[in-house]
Amino acid sequence: MNTPSDSSLGREVRYPDQYDPGLLFAIPRRAAREQIGIDEAALPFAGHDRWHAYELSWLDAGGLPQVAVATFCVPCTSPNLIESKSFKLYLNSLNGRRFDTAEQLRACLVQDLSACAGATVSVDFELPPMVAASAAQSIDQQSLVIDCYGPPQSGYLRADTATVVEEVLTSALLKSNCPVTGQPDWASVDIAYRGPAIDRAGLLRYLVSFRNHAEFHEQCVERIFADIQARCLPEWLSVHARYTRRGGLDINPVRVSAGAPLPAPSRDLRQ
């Protein structure tokens, strides 16, 4: 079984000068989900891991370099997530590869990424728009005394069962660490729901308690979803995190209750 310690994370790696799909590294989702208490056979959510690539390049049939941006969507039902450093190395391996058309490149990307994830990955040569005016309400401007920065404390979460609301709350203060290198991962997170009103002070304390926590982006979002669902009992829930870019890639995991609409794809100012 692939584990983070088996990957190229945290190791000095020579950047590839030849196309190599073998650089892609799959990490099974099952183990992390079991730790959170999520049943792989009956996922409590739908969604995907949406990657934005800003440094995609290849050669045309005549050897002239081409550049593009791209959006990749890995379904959350895939058995594997794609480890980020291996993803960057793989994309760099395309720099010297010749393709007759951009469509030929897209087919190559779909084939290689789908094989790694274990499910069909979509590829589009475009990026979603920047976030426009949003109805989301920031919870960051609260006067709080906080002294817990990990591990995540689901006990901070509570909701007022006497007050049912439908709202979108947002925070720019989500931070966790790579479980292998210890490097910081920074994100904004939108939490949309209908149900008992979530206590905003408790929610902010909860999100800040990820600050020194070591877990992959996708796993953090699934933990947030599972904890809010268990502690606050919303009728439906959506958790959408937008992580900042590293090595020309950013990742945006989205998890929503079954039947709930997916949030519109978007990027924020830090991306």
Side-chain angles (χ1 to χ4, degrees):
M1 177 182 291
N2 283 352
T3 64
S5 61
D6 300 317
S7 76
S8 57
L9 270 174
R11 301 179 186 177
E12 184 175 345
V13 177
R14 182 178 66 86
Y15 272 78
D17 55 12
Q18 294 185 341
Y19 164 66
D20 184 3
L23 291 166
L24 288 167
F25 190 83
I27 296 179
R29 299 183 190 268
R30 180 181 295 274
R33 286 175 171 171
E34 287 176 350
Q35 292 176 4
I36 299 170
I38 294 174
D39 182 357
E40 183 87 356
L43 294 178
F45 46 64
H48 55 242
D49 306 326
R50 190 181 70 252
W51 297 83
H52 303 149
Y54 301 82
E55 300 174 7
L56 178 61
S57 185
W58 69 99
L59 304 178
D60 69 9
L64 181 67
Q66 306 292 301
V67 295
V69 293
T71 297
F72 311 102
C73 280
V74 182
C76 71
T77 51
S78 66
N80 306 317
L81 60 85
I82 301 175
E83 188 274 308
S84 61
K85 184 173 181 179
S86 77
F87 202 161
K88 296 161 197 165
L89 291 171
Y90 163 72
L91 292 180
N92 279 319
S93 83
L94 296 167
N95 292 345
R97 177 79 168 183
R98 297 192 183 208
F99 294 94
D100 292 336
T101 64
E103 180 55 33
Q104 187 181 71
L105 167 64
R106 194 189 76 83
C108 177
L109 290 165
V110 169
Q111 175 179 294
D112 294 343
L113 296 172
S114 299
C116 182
T120 301
V121 175
S122 68
V123 178
D124 295 298
F125 293 131
E126 60 182 12
L127 296 175
M130 300 296 291
V131 176
S134 172
Q137 302 173 63
S138 175
I139 62 171
D140 295 343
Q141 307 306 315
Q142 301 183 66
S143 180
L144 300 176
V145 175
I146 294 180
D147 58 6
C148 177
Y149 304 104
Q153 299 294 312
S154 64
Y156 287 139
L157 294 168
R158 57 185 182 274
D160 178 5
T161 56
T163 306
V164 174
V165 300
E166 185 171 328
E167 63 182 0
V168 184
L169 304 178
T170 188
S171 174
L173 302 183
L174 180 61
K175 173 197 168 288
S176 55
N177 296 326
C178 171
V180 178
T181 67
Q183 289 184 309
D185 296 320
W186 306 91
S188 298
V189 60
D190 290 350
I191 296 166
Y193 72 100
R194 174 177 171 78
I198 295 175
D199 176 73
R200 297 184 182 188
L203 178 59
L204 185 56
R205 285 191 170 94
Y206 168 71
L207 294 175
V208 171
S209 73
F210 279 81
R211 193 168 181 83
N212 293 331
H213 179 60
E215 199 166 44
F216 289 118
H217 315 75
E218 302 93 329
Q219 296 162 356
C220 286
V221 170
E222 293 188 356
R223 184 181 294 276
I224 292 169
F225 184 99
D227 285 347
I228 293 176
Q229 185 66 55
R231 304 284 302 192
C232 300
L233 303 176
E235 296 174 20
W236 60 264
L237 173 65
S238 169
V239 179
H240 179 196
R242 294 186 290 266
Y243 281 85
T244 58
R245 195 183 318 175
R246 186 182 293 164
L249 277 175
D250 65 49
I251 183 172
N252 307 262
V254 178
R255 300 294 184 268
V256 302
S257 300
L262 286 167
S266 62
R267 295 176 291 142
D268 69 16
L269 293 176
R270 293 197 292 171
Q271 296 178 310

